[in-house]
Amino acid sequence: MKPHLSFPLKSLCVCVSDSSVSFPQAEIDAAVQLLLKLKVEYKQVTGQDYKAGCLPSESSVAPSNGPAADQDTVDPWNVSTTSAKGVDYDKLIVRFGSSKIDQELVDRIEKVSGQKPHRFLRRGIFFSHRDMHQVLDACEKQKSFYLYTGRGPSSEAMHVGHLIPFIFTKWLQDVFDIPLVIQLTDDEKYLWKDLTIEDCHRFAVENAKDIIACGFDVNKTFIFSDLDYMGASPEFYRNVVKIEKHVTFNQVKGIFGFTDSDSRGRNMMITSLPSRLFGNRKDIQCLIPCAIDQDPYFRMTRDVAPRIGYPKPALLHSTFFPALQGAQTKMSASDANSSIFLTDTPKQIKNKINKYAFSGGKDTVEEHRKYGGNPDVDVSFMYLTFFLDDDEQLEKIRQDYVSGALLTGELKKILIETLQPMIAQHQERRKQVTDETVKQFMTPRPLNFKL
Ligand code: TRP
């Protein structure tokens, strides 16, 4: 386990206080040695040099390597928990140092946007934020902001969980009428997975079609692949270099848990991820909707931004979309049985849900009728909270499941009938996305927008 931060801080203060008393040389030497040791420890834990009187900055929170035994694992590469209810998100807010999206913030978003909050906000699926009040303050003063999000294209077919940030980003784009930049980190997937560069780039273009099928406005949206854009845009590479200058290897170890044997490429890539945030306008704030496992990237970005003259980006964090087998981990494209893909047929959707979706129901109909089911661990019910828009219908389903009036098979049927048309419609819209449309979205151009 990592030493607690306040320990070295406090000990350092004790060591250097009361300089008027004189000590024998041996004690002074020992104190100096202790001080040096604590400084090294401080640097190991925070990734930063100790500065008297300064708290470690935001990016040092929650190093991703080695959570304590009772902690959930949440970093850009791993998400897991031992609880069937899923990750403890309240604890995660404390650990990451972000803020909860409370009812007051949801009400404020409603007031400023003039729209009913999206079900992801109403139901706590987007549950955490950084500086969202600042974004709304700016909005109230008629100042605009822009959106940035992304996707690491690790396979040709995306699954339903991948849609969550894009469905929400589309809603934000519509209600606030703002430009959007979407980064496809094909370089990231090449560096982390056993894939060829060509495949990663091909997946980026294929995934762009699914993203476009979510309905983004071509006049306000720019999508880019790192592998293409890094060489094509001098501005982009300049920002990468600026960020690299301000991030030390120790910080990267602290934030991402990198070790001496991680490739140099991984180190470099993590700076390309936030780089697109920094265009040439230094007065416009960026808002990043993303799943909370991506937060380490943006803790680093928020640390660097003011040092290179930009406002810190604000964030809206979502929960994870559970695997079919249970909320102990998120849906993963590399495990076909854990996922419902956007390419699945109605029959595949039905079979996977019936066969794999973890049930909070009882073993026999009699027991279920008597004791009722548990929606808090039931994957079908969890999926409905993501996709069934009608609050009253959802609440009725929940109550009927808890009372035992609704059986697991019936609950699964409702989910199947919700997902089948949703995915069929997605496939229909995706078919309309031609190579020409992809090219339009992916061509660098001024967005049709006055900020
Ligand atoms: N790192 C993300 C992934 O592996 C992709 C990504 C790039 C991203 N930029 C982003 C995600 C911005 C959220 C927001 O999937």
Side-chain angles (χ1 to χ4, degrees):
M1 217 180 94
K2 301 276 172 202
H4 193 271
L5 260 188
S6 66
F7 163 63
L9 264 178
K10 223 157 96 199
S11 315
L12 280 175
C13 300
V14 172
C15 289
V16 293
S17 66
D18 202 2
S19 55
S20 60
V21 189
S22 65
F23 292 105
Q25 189 60 39
E27 275 183 39
I28 295 173
D29 288 348
V32 169
Q33 285 311 316
L34 177 62
L35 195 70
L36 291 174
K37 188 170 151 268
L38 289 170
K39 276 189 164 184
V40 170
E41 266 179 39
Y42 180 94
K43 195 160 179 171
Q44 274 166 0
V45 175
T46 65
Q48 295 164 23
D49 286 316
Y50 173 76
K51 280 198 207 93
C54 294
L55 286 172
S57 63
E58 204 174 274
S59 65
S60 68
V61 187
S64 55
N65 51 341
D70 63 336
Q71 268 179 11
D72 300 329
T73 301
V74 176
D75 65 38
W77 304 284
N78 302 292
V79 173
S80 69
T81 172
T82 50
S83 164
K85 290 184 186 171
V87 168
D88 185 331
Y89 290 106
D90 285 331
K91 271 197 195 155
L92 205 58
I93 286 177
V94 176
R95 198 166 113 210
F96 279 16
S98 59
S99 308
K100 195 177 168 83
I101 298 185
D102 52 16
Q103 193 54 45
E104 190 200 332
L105 180 55
V106 176
D107 291 345
R108 196 168 171 219
I109 294 174
E110 174 164 15
K111 191 167 150 252
V112 176
S113 70
Q115 302 284 329
K116 178 178 175 185
H118 192 274
R119 61 177 180 278
F120 293 169
L121 285 170
R122 302 199 301 271
R123 300 182 188 157
I125 288 170
F126 273 79
F127 71 102
S128 153
H129 78 104
R130 294 185 190 274
D131 289 345
M132 187 59 195
H133 280 291
Q134 252 177 39
V135 170
L136 296 172
D137 290 346
C139 257
E140 281 178 337
K141 291 184 197 127
Q142 318 301 328
K143 274 179 68 183
S144 204
F145 59 99
Y146 73 100
L147 292 163
Y148 157 80
T149 191
R151 148 131 190 96
S154 52
S155 64
E156 192 158 337
M158 285 168 62
H159 61 57
V160 280
H162 291 139
L163 288 183
I164 306 307
F166 294 108
I167 292 173
F168 191 59
T169 303
K170 152 99 176 105
W171 181 80
L172 289 168
Q173 181 177 56
D174 288 349
V175 303
F176 288 104
D177 190 22
I178 37 176
L180 160 68
V181 175
I182 299 173
Q183 177 172 24
L184 301 172
T185 49
D186 36 15
D187 54 350
E188 180 181 21
K189 293 302 144 182
Y190 173 68
L191 290 162
W192 264 272
K193 304 245 165 185
D194 192 15
L195 295 166
T196 64
I197 286 227
E198 289 69 28
D199 275 345
C200 293
H201 185 258
R202 190 166 53 80
F203 295 161
V205 175
E206 287 308 310
N207 289 185
K209 292 182 188 164
D210 282 297
I211 293 169
I212 293 167
C214 292
F216 293 108
D217 180 345
V218 68
N219 294 314
K220 292 183 210 145
T221 308
F222 173 49
I223 305 178
F224 71 96
S225 121
D226 278 352
L227 290 172
D228 286 337
Y229 195 57
M230 187 86 158
S233 164
E235 208 183 76
F236 187 57
Y237 184 57
R238 277 166 209 203
N239 282 332
V240 170
V241 173
K242 276 193 209 167
I243 297 175
E244 287 195 335
K245 181 167 174 170
H246 290 86
V247 181
T248 67
F249 184 44
N250 261 313
Q251 257 173 310
V252 166
K253 282 196 210 168
I255 301 168
F256 297 97
F258 287 173
T259 66
D260 289 353
S261 44
D262 276 289
S263 75
R264 286 267 305 110
R266 290 185 178 184
N267 261 297
M268 238 191 60
M269 186 272 142
I270 54 157
T271 50
S272 94
L273 205 132
S275 299
R276 187 55 188 82
L277 298 181
F278 306 129
N280 36 22
R281 290 278 299 268
K282 297 197 170 183
D283 56 331
I284 303 167
Q285 194 167 19
C286 172
L287 174 64
I288 311 172
C290 62
I292 193 146
D293 58 340
Q294 298 297 310
D295 189 64
Y297 286 114
F298 306 117
R299 287 205 288 270
M300 185 181 89
T301 315
R302 284 167 56 85
D303 222 39
V304 176
R307 290 196 266 158
I308 59 173
Y310 289 89
K312 288 184 180 192
L315 286 136
L316 291 171
H317 297 124
S318 75
T319 59
F320 303 112
F321 194 78
L324 276 165
Q325 285 77 1
Q328 287 89 344
T329 184
K330 62 175 182 173
M331 194 173 260
S332 157
S334 48
D335 178 0
N337 291 336
S338 85
S339 300
I340 295 172
F341 290 99
L342 299 175
T343 46
D344 281 351
T345 61
K347 200 161 158 225
Q348 283 173 315
I349 297 169
K350 183 174 165 204
N351 289 345
K352 280 191 202 174
I353 292 173
N354 281 334
K355 191 162 172 197
Y356 298 115
F358 182 79
S359 164
K362 297 288 179 295
D363 289 345
T364 64
V365 174
E366 293 69 43
E367 271 184 65
H368 190 90
R369 292 272 186 238
K370 196 162 162 204
Y371 302 110
N374 180 2
D376 294 345
V377 299
D378 192 291
V379 168
S380 302
F381 185 77
M382 289 182 203
Y383 287 5
L384 283 174
T385 65
F386 281 86
F387 294 120
L388 190 72
D389 198 43
D390 187 327
D391 291 338
E392 276 176 31
Q393 198 189 347
L394 185 72
E395 180 52 22
K396 169 111 179 45
I397 292 169
R398 199 188 64 77
Q399 284 175 9
D400 287 351
Y401 199 54
V402 170
S403 75
L406 190 73
L407 299 173
T408 294
E410 293 163 338
L411 175 66
K412 288 193 172 188
K413 189 159 176 279
I414 301 174
L415 176 64
I416 292 164
E417 286 169 0
T418 306
L419 286 183
Q420 282 175 334
M422 188 191 104
I423 292 176
Q425 283 156 18
H426 179 89
Q427 290 169 355
E428 209 33 59
R429 287 193 306 268
R430 193 187 193 276
K431 259 195 236 150
Q432 315 294 320
V433 180
T434 60
D435 289 344
E436 189 48 41
T437 319
V438 176
K439 206 168 140 204
Q440 277 180 330
F441 272 92
M442 298 188 72
T443 302
R445 73 219 117 96
L447 294 179
N448 183 8
F449 210 85
K450 273 211 282 276
L451 281 175

